[in-house]
Amino acid sequence: MTLDQPHDNNADPSPADHRAITPTNENDIMPPESTLKLWQDVGQGIDKNLTVVWKSAVDSLVEGRKYFGICHDARAFVEQYMSKILQILLEQIPQKIGQMEQNCVQESLYQGLLICLEDLKVKSAASEDDSQLVSVLALIFNKRLPFYKGSKHSWNNTWSGLPEIRIQLIDKFKVLRGFGHLTDYLEARIGTSGFPSAPDIKLLLDAGRDAVPGKKFEGKDEAKRILEDDIIGFAKAVMNNMELLTDEDLKKINIHEDLSNIRWGLQSIFQGLILSRRNEVYEFYAFCRNFSLKLITSQSLPLKLYGWETVNELVEISQEMAPPPRAFIVSGAGTDFVNGTYVYNTKVGEDGFAHPKADHSYEYIFTTDPTEPNVNAGRRKLTLFKCTMRSQQKWWFISEADEQQPGTDKDIDYYQQKSKKKEENFPPRTGWSTCRNAGLDPPPYLEPKGLVVPPGEEYNTVEHQMAKWAIENKVVELVLGSSIHREIVARSIRLIGFLVQMCTKDEPVNSAQFPDLVPNQYCLNSEHLNLAWKTCESKLDAAVSAQVYELLVSILPSLPDELAVNLLNTIRKSCNSNILEVAEFCFSLAKCSEVESLNLSEEVRDVLLKLLWSILTHPDVLILKCYEAIRSFMAQELTVEPRGSLLREEFIDQCKRTIIRNCNSASCDETEALRIIRLTRFVLEACPREQATIIIAHSKHEIANLMFDELNAYLRRKSSSDTPLLIKKTSSNLTVPEEFHHGIALETRLDNLRFVFGLSDTVQITLAQLNMLWELCTEPDDREALMVFLAKSSFDENPPSTMGPSQRDSIVRGSHQALTAAFSNEVGAYAFQKLFCSEEMHWEYLGPKAYESFQELFKHLSKPLRSTLTPSGPALDALWRICLYAGDDNVASQAMNDLLRVYCAFGESKRLSESNSTNAWTKRKTQQDIVLDPEETFSFKIFDCLAQVKKGLQSSIALSVRSAERCVRILNAAVGHNPNSQANVSILVKAHSIDSIHEILEYVPHGFRGQGCYKTIIAVARRTGSHQSSTSRNLPQSERISIQMHPLETLHSLKTKVANACNHPPHLVRAISMNNNTKNLNIEPENAIVGDLGINQGSEIVFLLASNPFPESQQTHALRQVERKSGLGPSEIFGGNGQGPTDEFFNALLEVLEALSQASFHATDTTESLVWDLLQSVPSNAGL
């Protein structure tokens, strides 16, 4: 038996089926005993084992249907067991049962369907009891049960069910007007507890969707409409019941499953009816909008949030249902003939609407100029169409189709675009790319024109109805009103963005023909935007405000210019009173621009930049946490041309006016004044180098001179004793403001001065301006800051040698600009000689930065000037003064090192010159001898300093103690004494070649004479190698030896002592490491002196006793051949004939010691100790 035998599925619907059972009176015949026994057996089998015999299942339902309306036992059996019987049958997988069993399942389902239909007819009235078989009907239509769905044996197999059986049952139910009877039944129970459950309604709605008449009913319009009316009536009954649900009812429903399933089921039915163009489709979406309004106006937050999910779904559906544009205007393409108007060429229905599921395409027909090169002349056709790739990805193309084989690889593609998900229906405006085989850059821009709708329907699309609903029901006001919630704001972004798109959606229509049609009537307006901003100003909740900022930022690029300008101006007006909120909005905009560049018109960008400028010029801007982000954002937007250039000049003019006002005022807000200086620098950095140079050179270097005058005015205000600096205290409750600091203010101004004068080589600081600054910066900190500025400004900067494109841009705009020197070489020389080297410089109050600037400025003087300043000039005298009088000990130490290097260079140059003069082969390398003035020699200077120190001590000058200490430190450094180690103890010994033992004795320091200088060290000797000699085979692998050594011994001498102690050849011994590998001795030359290596009392040195000669490295060989001969010789340090310290030297030193002992100052122990160390470090004096 098959389902098609009882009835023809394609027959026209009739009021009742010919096999329907009509109710009978109580006197009708009761079922026979065999039927009752059959029902009893089936019932017992199900109750005991949940099983049923195939044939019994069919027979029991056939008998049940036969007596359903005339026998109480039949109804009782059906209501109690039919659901269980069908459940068991539908759990069967068709692939695992035979054909007979499949037929039993089909016939049972068919009988059950007819029984359910009969019950619906009987109980359609409201006075009747509720049907218990509606859930059975839903079970029969459940497509997820195994008999319909089947199973998959592996991932690549298809489902093995019989879904067509379900469709046949639905068709039978539809033809028998089952949906009409179902409608009558539901309408009688709307708003009551007898209305079927949500899961059952969902299954019935799925059946309704599959029952929508299709191609089988083409040409049968009346029958088709009757069946559609039945399905629509059923859906309306469900919708009417939903409208009566209260908040309490909705709270009892699982809204995210049951309610959503019902909504989607309804939507699927009406989506299937779109092609019919029935008014009920639009009524359904009106119902959906009203139901969403009911949810979003609920007092329950979960219902509100769910309601906003439904609103977003409706927005998406309305956009998907939008009719296609009537044409696209293609412009801006590099391939010129591609530009033009592409007209819709897909088939349009008789009603004037395009098919909603059609693949839309457009064509552009044009005639080419035969004289145009590289272009085929004649009539040509370009097509704008969508193509589904093998990956199922949708691509749009602008192509010239091949006449013989269109749609193949023989087409000529000019431009293409990969569609985003949910944006595949129509060609996108932007995002096109060029096909390299035919197209030319740049890619085109597409502008849609008109809609494919009948005349007069342009403003009546589902999109327009959605927008009208939102505006008339004040949905935006609900979002931003008094009950605002951040989650609701977040969910409303889709709708508000949609309303923004509706601002420019419409094109004017024929007003004479359609006078009532107003374009863009329902869309976002200024009142909505002002309400959003007022919400931010209310300061109710920071989280809510942040969400509103995100909302405004997301729609700003899409707003029409008028709305965007009004919004930004409104925000700008509230800048003074709500700086924090304004800054947070701009900060959100800045973060958005980091992800995707803002596509703003020139007018909107102008207003935005003025808004950002209002923030940066606000008194409280520096205490904003987002200040740096906003500053960077404005710098980025300022570079956008062509308006950027004009706005930069406008902002510079504003800064100039404020600076002039501050310069002419006896007092001003110093925090504000400093901020304007920084802003001026900020705008200049945003300018291209060419524009910045023009701005600085404009009006006789007005901006450069103005920056100098402002610095001059600031220093004068600070130096004025009767006018304290005016520092405005912030009155806001923002973060704690940074305290005004004069040092930062001065350094900032000097740094800006360096920038302005370094941008253009046509403007330089004059000698008069330099002297003015020097006279005003009298305080030590000010003087040091000025010295740093002069040093930095004395040379031309060079750009980085290697850089990427972004770094090249930063050279043009930003802090990496290569600046030129801010003053001429003459002014630089004057600054060094007359200011830095002046005797009036009080180095006791200056720190490391001042000395670094001294070095930097000297380094950047011209080479001839440096060579003339050093041997006899202010530079050397200044170095001596810094060594003796610097208050910072590190500065003094660095100056001492530099001083000794200078004198060592003089001595080396002199020795090299003497050597070359005696060698004819090297005369070509002879250097010019630098002749020192006798009074500039080291020995003369140090003796003079010692004499001055003695006088100072005798005159009780406090600084003389420090000067005494510095003199002795200089001498210690000259002879190579290091108080922290024994390194360099032999500098006098190594300074020159020594030819005899007498010369050695002359140069040995006094502290290294006598047995007390010897040190005891531990030598660990380790034998290696498998080929040991017969004499050493019985010796231990490792030995520890105590060895006496003198600090002036060489490493070779130490190695020889170890070789002798271990009875090992000296050339097979090598020092490896010292003190647990803290020092590597393997790389040291053998003539290295142990005192230089840091070998002290108790040091442990590991020696390697090898069986084979060591390989000698080139580096070690070179080190052995070269003996260091640097430093000052004895004659250069002590004067005289170079035989060591003279009597005059010792007399001067002892006189200083005596003066120190008689001085009334304390803390002279350090100096006395240094003197003693010096005496130990120089050769002995027999006369002493």
Side-chain angles (χ1 to χ4, degrees):
M1 182 183 297
T2 65
L3 278 175
D4 294 332
Q5 289 175 346
H7 198 279
D8 181 8
N9 288 343
N10 295 326
D12 293 340
S14 60
D17 181 60
H18 69 281
R19 295 185 61 181
I21 300 174
T22 57
T24 60
N25 57 43
E26 296 180 356
N27 297 323
D28 288 338
I29 300 173
M30 297 299 294
E33 289 296 326
S34 59
T35 299
L36 295 174
K37 181 68 168 61
L38 174 63
W39 289 344
Q40 183 180 5
D41 292 343
V42 171
Q44 288 178 353
I46 292 175
D47 290 337
K48 291 182 178 180
N49 303 315
L50 287 177
T51 59
V52 64
V53 178
W54 295 104
K55 189 69 170 60
S56 298
V58 176
D59 293 343
S60 65
L61 293 179
V62 169
E63 293 299 311
R65 176 183 172 230
K66 180 177 180 181
Y67 295 100
F68 182 70
I70 58 177
C71 177
H72 175 76
D73 290 339
R75 175 173 285 276
F77 172 78
V78 167
E79 290 180 345
Q80 183 174 3
Y81 291 109
M82 185 170 72
S83 175
K84 296 177 181 178
I85 293 172
L86 297 181
Q87 182 74 43
I88 293 172
L89 296 176
L90 287 170
E91 292 291 340
Q92 307 306 310
I93 298 175
Q95 195 175 17
K96 296 182 179 181
I97 60 178
Q99 186 61 45
M100 186 275 293
E101 288 82 1
Q102 291 183 21
N103 292 338
C104 289
V105 175
Q106 295 178 43
E107 180 61 19
S108 298
L109 291 172
Y110 177 71
Q111 295 297 328
L113 177 72
L114 295 179
I115 293 173
C116 292
L117 178 59
E118 184 63 28
D119 196 46
L120 288 175
K121 295 177 183 178
V122 172
K123 298 193 174 183
S124 59
S127 58
E128 297 290 338
D129 295 336
D130 296 335
S131 173
Q132 299 182 28
L133 301 186
V134 173
S135 60
V136 179
L137 183 63
L139 175 69
I140 293 173
F141 292 153
N142 188 350
K143 63 182 179 181
R144 296 186 179 277
L145 292 176
F147 186 76
Y148 300 141
K149 186 178 181 180
S151 64
K152 292 178 68 173
H153 299 286
S154 60
W155 66 270
N156 59 348
N157 287 342
T158 57
W159 294 98
S160 57
L162 297 173
E164 64 273 11
I165 302 299
R166 173 180 171 272
I167 297 300
Q168 291 175 14
L169 291 168
I170 293 173
D171 286 344
K172 175 60 67 175
F173 187 74
K174 170 182 67 177
V175 172
L176 295 177
R177 302 291 302 279
F179 285 103
H181 296 303
L182 179 60
T183 301
D184 295 338
Y185 175 81
L186 294 178
E187 285 180 345
R189 288 160 179 79
I190 290 175
T192 68
S193 59
F195 202 86
S197 66
D200 288 344
I201 290 294
K202 170 61 171 63
L203 295 174
L204 295 173
L205 288 171
D206 288 344
R209 174 198 60 200
D210 294 331
V212 174
K215 294 182 178 180
K216 291 182 180 180
F217 288 87
E218 289 183 359
K220 302 178 181 180
D221 294 342
E222 183 179 356
K224 178 181 179 183
R225 188 168 187 85
I226 291 174
L227 295 177
E228 286 180 352
D229 287 341
D230 288 345
I231 298 171
I232 292 172
F234 160 54
K236 282 187 174 181
V238 177
M239 292 156 54
N240 292 335
N241 187 71
M242 291 175 63
E243 288 179 335
L244 296 179
L245 294 175
T246 64
D247 281 6
E248 294 302 320
D249 296 331
L250 291 170
K251 290 177 183 178
K252 298 175 184 178
I253 302 174
N254 187 336
I255 55 177
H256 289 287
E257 288 190 14
D258 295 339
L259 192 56
S260 293
N261 288 336
I262 292 175
R263 289 192 308 102
W264 294 335
L266 288 169
Q267 180 182 323
S268 64
I269 289 176
F270 287 98
Q271 286 284 352
L273 294 169
I274 287 179
L275 295 180
S276 301
R277 300 294 174 188
R278 297 187 58 138
N279 291 331
E280 287 86 351
V281 175
Y282 298 98
E283 292 173 1
F284 164 71
Y285 287 111
F287 157 78
C288 291
R289 293 190 290 268
N290 292 330
F291 188 73
S292 296
L293 182 64
K294 177 180 181 177
L295 291 172
I296 64 178
T297 55
S298 168
Q299 298 301 313
S300 168
L301 180 61
L303 290 179
K304 282 184 178 181
L305 298 179
Y306 177 73
W308 276 105
E309 292 178 11
T310 66
V311 170
N312 290 333
E313 291 174 8
L314 288 173
V315 170
E316 182 178 340
I317 291 170
S318 67
Q319 291 175 328
E320 290 177 353
M321 295 178 63
R326 192 170 293 278
F328 276 94
I329 297 178
V330 177
S331 61
T335 306
D336 188 62
F337 61 82
V338 169
N339 299 318
T341 302
Y342 290 67
V343 181
Y344 189 77
N345 71 335
T346 307
K347 183 179 179 181
V348 179
E350 295 179 357
D351 56 3
F353 289 97
H355 194 291
K357 296 182 180 179
D359 285 337
H360 310 296
S361 64
Y362 298 79
E363 66 178 14
Y364 169 46
I365 300 175
F366 62 100
T367 302
T368 57
D369 185 356
T371 62
E372 188 176 352
N374 302 324
V375 174
N376 296 328
R379 187 174 182 272
R380 302 174 66 181
K381 180 173 70 174
L382 296 179
T383 306
L384 172 60
F385 68 99
K386 178 175 62 178
C387 180
T388 302
M389 314 303 282
R390 292 179 180 176
S391 62
Q392 300 305 309
Q393 176 68 47
K394 304 294 191 298
W395 285 72
W396 281 92
F397 289 90
I398 298 179
S399 303
E400 186 172 7
D402 183 76
E403 293 182 0
Q404 303 299 327
Q405 299 179 9
T408 65
D409 55 4
K410 293 187 177 181
D411 294 348
I412 303 175
D413 299 329
Y414 295 99
Y415 300 98
Q416 62 186 9
Q417 204 272 357
K418 182 179 180 181
S419 297
K420 298 179 181 178
K421 195 69 174 174
K422 298 182 180 180
E423 295 181 3
E424 300 170 344
N425 290 341
F426 308 125
R429 295 171 180 253
T430 58
W432 291 83
S433 58
T434 304
C435 298
R436 297 303 173 190
N437 60 335
L440 298 175
D441 285 331
Y445 171 80
L446 275 63
E447 182 181 359
K449 289 293 182 181
L451 295 174
V452 182
V453 294
E457 292 294 320
E458 289 84 355
Y459 305 163
N460 194 33
T461 67
V462 179
E463 283 185 302
H464 288 83
Q465 294 173 10
M466 184 71 192
K468 181 179 180 181
W469 167 83
I471 298 302
E472 289 184 344
N473 291 284
K474 300 185 181 300
V475 176
V476 178
E477 288 82 350
L478 288 176
V479 175
L480 303 172
S482 58
S483 59
I484 189 170
H485 191 279
R486 64 183 300 269
E487 293 296 335
I488 294 177
V489 176
R491 285 164 171 78
S492 69
I493 292 178
R494 181 74 180 268
L495 173 68
I496 295 178
F498 165 73
L499 292 176
V500 171
Q501 295 175 9
M502 297 303 293
C503 292
T504 56
K505 184 75 174 179
D506 302 334
E507 295 180 8
V509 296
N510 190 331
S511 58
Q513 187 178 2
F514 305 104
D516 297 331
L517 296 183
V518 180
N520 305 317
Q521 184 177 6
Y522 301 102
C523 59
L524 200 73
N525 55 48
S526 294
E527 293 180 0
H528 297 141
L529 297 173
N530 292 337
L531 178 61
W533 183 245
K534 286 180 181 178
T535 302
C536 298
E537 289 181 314
S538 63
K539 303 180 176 65
L540 292 177
D541 189 339
V544 171
S545 296
Q547 201 64 59
V548 178
Y549 299 145
E550 183 179 342
L551 166 65
L552 293 175
V553 166
S554 66
I555 65 175
L556 180 64
S558 304
L559 284 173
D561 288 356
E562 181 181 0
L563 290 182
V565 168
N566 289 340
L567 171 64
L568 294 177
N569 280 331
T570 300
I571 297 175
R572 184 183 174 195
K573 290 176 183 177
S574 63
C575 189
N576 290 333
S577 57
N578 298 287
I579 179 61
L580 179 59
E581 288 72 24
V582 176
E584 287 296 331
F585 166 76
C586 292
F587 179 52
S588 299
L589 198 58
K591 290 191 294 184
C592 178
S593 69
E594 294 175 358
V595 178
E596 185 176 359
S597 59
L598 299 176
N599 185 19
L600 304 176
S601 67
E602 292 182 8
E603 182 182 6
V604 176
R605 181 168 273 105
D606 281 6
V607 180
L608 173 61
L609 284 169
K610 290 177 181 178
L611 169 61
L612 296 173
W613 184 253
S614 298
I615 296 175
L616 295 183
T617 54
H618 192 278
D620 291 335
V621 63
L622 293 179
I623 59 179
L624 295 173
K625 294 180 180 179
C626 55
Y627 166 71
E628 288 298 334
I630 293 176
R631 188 174 182 273
S632 300
F633 177 46
M634 183 173 181
Q636 169 188 317
E637 293 299 311
L638 267 178
T639 61
V640 180
E641 300 296 351
R643 294 288 302 167
S645 178
L646 298 176
L647 286 172
R648 291 191 294 267
E649 292 182 3
E650 179 181 335
F651 294 149
I652 284 289
D653 289 339
Q654 292 183 26
C655 291
K656 284 162 56 176
R657 289 193 294 270
T658 305
I659 293 174
I660 292 172
R661 185 170 63 251
N662 291 339
C663 289
N664 296 331
S665 176
S667 64
C668 66
D669 179 4
E670 295 298 342
T671 304
E672 182 76 8
L674 178 60
R675 186 165 49 81
I676 293 299
I677 294 300
R678 286 173 169 158
L679 282 177
T680 306
R681 165 77 174 268
F682 164 73
V683 179
L684 287 174
E685 285 182 339
C687 295
R689 184 63 174 260
E690 181 180 357
Q691 184 187 19
T693 303
I694 293 173
I695 291 174
I696 292 173
H698 179 68
S699 298
K700 298 181 180 180
H701 315 304
E702 178 187 12
I703 189 67
N705 293 327
L706 192 58
M707 296 290 280
F708 179 85
D709 293 341
E710 197 281 336
L711 172 59
N712 187 7
Y714 168 73
L715 291 172
R716 293 187 185 280
R717 289 196 300 270
K718 178 182 177 296
S719 62
S720 177
S721 57
D722 55 345
T723 308
L725 290 179
L726 177 62
I727 303 172
K728 181 180 179 180
K729 300 296 183 180
T730 178
S731 59
S732 68
N733 58 353
L734 304 176
T735 51
V736 178
E738 181 181 358
E739 185 178 352
F740 180 83
H741 193 278
H742 163 67
I744 295 177
L746 178 59
E747 289 179 6
T748 300
R749 285 175 164 87
L750 289 171
D751 192 42
N752 288 353
L753 204 64
R754 164 69 180 121
F755 179 77
V756 171
F757 278 88
L759 275 179
S760 173
D761 53 6
T762 63
V763 55
Q764 290 185 326
I765 296 176
T766 64
L767 193 59
Q769 289 175 325
L770 174 62
N771 285 325
M772 185 182 299
L773 287 179
W774 192 261
E775 292 173 1
L776 289 172
C777 295
T778 55
E779 296 294 328
D781 289 342
D782 296 357
R783 181 63 58 83
E784 189 165 7
L786 181 57
M787 292 176 70
V788 171
F789 160 71
L790 293 175
K792 286 183 178 179
S793 307
S794 62
F795 58 93
D796 294 340
E797 296 178 355
N798 295 319
S801 57
T802 59
M803 64 189 75
S806 60
Q807 290 174 306
R808 295 191 192 99
D809 293 340
S810 67
I811 290 178
V812 177
R813 300 183 181 94
S815 58
H816 297 291
Q817 298 188 17
L819 304 176
T820 61
F823 43 76
S824 64
N825 291 334
E826 292 74 15
V827 173
Y830 174 86
F832 183 79
Q833 295 180 73
K834 302 299 183 182
L835 302 180
F836 282 31
C837 296
S838 171
E839 294 183 6
E840 298 177 359
M841 282 285 288
H842 301 292
W843 284 97
E844 59 269 27
Y845 304 116
L846 299 176
K849 290 183 180 179
Y851 186 68
E852 291 171 5
S853 303
F854 176 86
Q855 294 175 304
E856 186 78 9
L857 184 57
F858 177 74
K859 182 176 71 174
H860 289 103
L861 294 176
S862 61
K863 189 172 182 180
L865 184 59
R866 290 202 307 270
S867 61
T868 57
L869 287 177
T870 307
S872 58
L876 203 58
D877 292 339
L879 267 179
W880 278 100
R881 284 193 297 273
I882 297 171
C883 292
L884 297 176
Y885 303 124
D888 189 294
D889 199 56
N890 291 327
V891 171
S893 298
Q894 183 61 44
M896 290 177 194
N897 292 335
D898 292 342
L899 182 69
L900 291 177
R901 274 197 290 268
V902 171
Y903 278 107
C904 287
F906 292 157
E908 194 68 27
S909 175
K910 181 179 179 181
R911 288 190 291 272
L912 183 61
S913 179
E914 291 172 351
S915 174
N916 289 339
S917 65
T918 60
N919 187 345
W921 298 103
T922 61
K923 283 188 178 181
R924 65 181 182 277
K925 300 180 182 179
T926 301
Q927 299 181 7
Q928 180 182 359
D929 190 15
I930 301 177
V931 180
L932 280 174
D933 189 303
E935 294 185 358
E936 294 291 342
T937 61
F938 180 86
S939 58
F940 180 87
K941 281 287 188 181
I942 195 66
F943 276 108
D944 182 61
C945 289
L946 289 172
Q948 296 297 326
V949 165
K950 184 184 73 171
K951 292 180 181 179
L953 291 172
Q954 292 172 347
S955 303
S956 300
I957 299 175
L959 290 178
S960 298
V961 176
R962 184 169 64 193
S963 299
E965 178 191 350
R966 300 280 173 77
C967 284
V968 180
R969 282 175 57 188
I970 293 172
L971 285 168
N972 271 309
V975 301
H977 173 72
N978 185 345
N980 299 319
S981 70
Q982 290 194 1
N984 298 325
V985 294
S986 56
I987 190 171
L988 292 177
V989 178
K990 298 190 297 177
H992 296 87
S993 298
I994 298 174
D995 299 324
S996 66
I997 190 64
H998 299 288
E999 291 186 14
I1000 291 177
L1001 294 177
E1002 288 179 1
Y1003 292 112
V1004 172
H1006 182 74
F1008 289 95
R1009 294 171 181 263
Q1011 295 295 323
C1013 298
Y1014 280 87
K1015 310 292 182 183
T1016 301
I1017 65 169
I1018 304 299
V1020 179
R1022 294 176 180 172
R1023 291 181 172 85
T1024 62
S1026 57
H1027 304 288
Q1028 298 181 8
S1029 63
S1030 58
T1031 58
S1032 62
R1033 270 179 198 152
N1034 296 327
L1035 296 176
Q1037 288 292 107
S1038 178
E1039 296 184 54
R1040 294 177 65 87
I1041 308 165
S1042 295
I1043 295 179
Q1044 292 269 324
M1045 66 91 185
H1046 192 278
L1048 297 183
E1049 284 189 58
T1050 63
L1051 197 59
H1052 177 77
S1053 171
L1054 200 58
K1055 183 184 74 171
T1056 302
K1057 289 182 179 181
V1058 173
N1060 294 336
C1062 296
N1063 193 22
H1064 201 80
H1067 71 283
L1068 299 180
V1069 177
R1070 174 169 288 182
I1072 302 300
S1073 62
M1074 180 176 73
N1075 296 338
N1076 293 325
N1077 295 321
T1078 57
K1079 186 174 181 63
N1080 183 10
L1081 299 178
N1082 192 34
I1083 61 174
E1084 299 294 340
E1086 291 195 350
N1087 62 347
I1089 297 176
V1090 296
D1092 291 338
L1093 300 177
I1095 301 175
N1096 296 316
Q1097 177 74 25
S1099 295
E1100 182 176 289
I1101 304 176
V1102 177
F1103 289 87
L1104 190 64
L1105 308 183
S1107 56
N1108 297 315
F1110 295 100
E1112 187 171 20
S1113 67
Q1114 293 296 327
Q1115 180 182 8
T1116 303
H1117 179 76
L1119 288 172
R1120 290 181 179 178
Q1121 302 303 319
V1122 179
E1123 184 176 21
R1124 189 179 69 175
K1125 295 181 180 180
S1126 60
L1128 296 174
S1131 63
E1132 294 166 325
I1133 300 175
F1134 309 113
N1137 56 8
Q1139 299 299 318
T1142 60
D1143 292 341
E1144 290 80 2
F1145 168 79
F1146 283 106
N1147 291 336
L1149 203 58
L1150 292 174
E1151 288 174 358
V1152 170
L1153 275 177
E1154 183 180 1
L1156 280 171
S1157 63
Q1158 297 175 357
S1160 58
F1161 311 111
H1162 299 286
T1164 60
D1165 294 343
T1166 302
T1167 306
E1168 293 173 353
S1169 175
L1170 287 172
V1171 171
W1172 178 250
D1173 290 340
L1174 176 62
L1175 293 175
Q1176 295 290 322
S1177 301
V1178 299
S1180 302
N1181 183 276
L1184 183 65

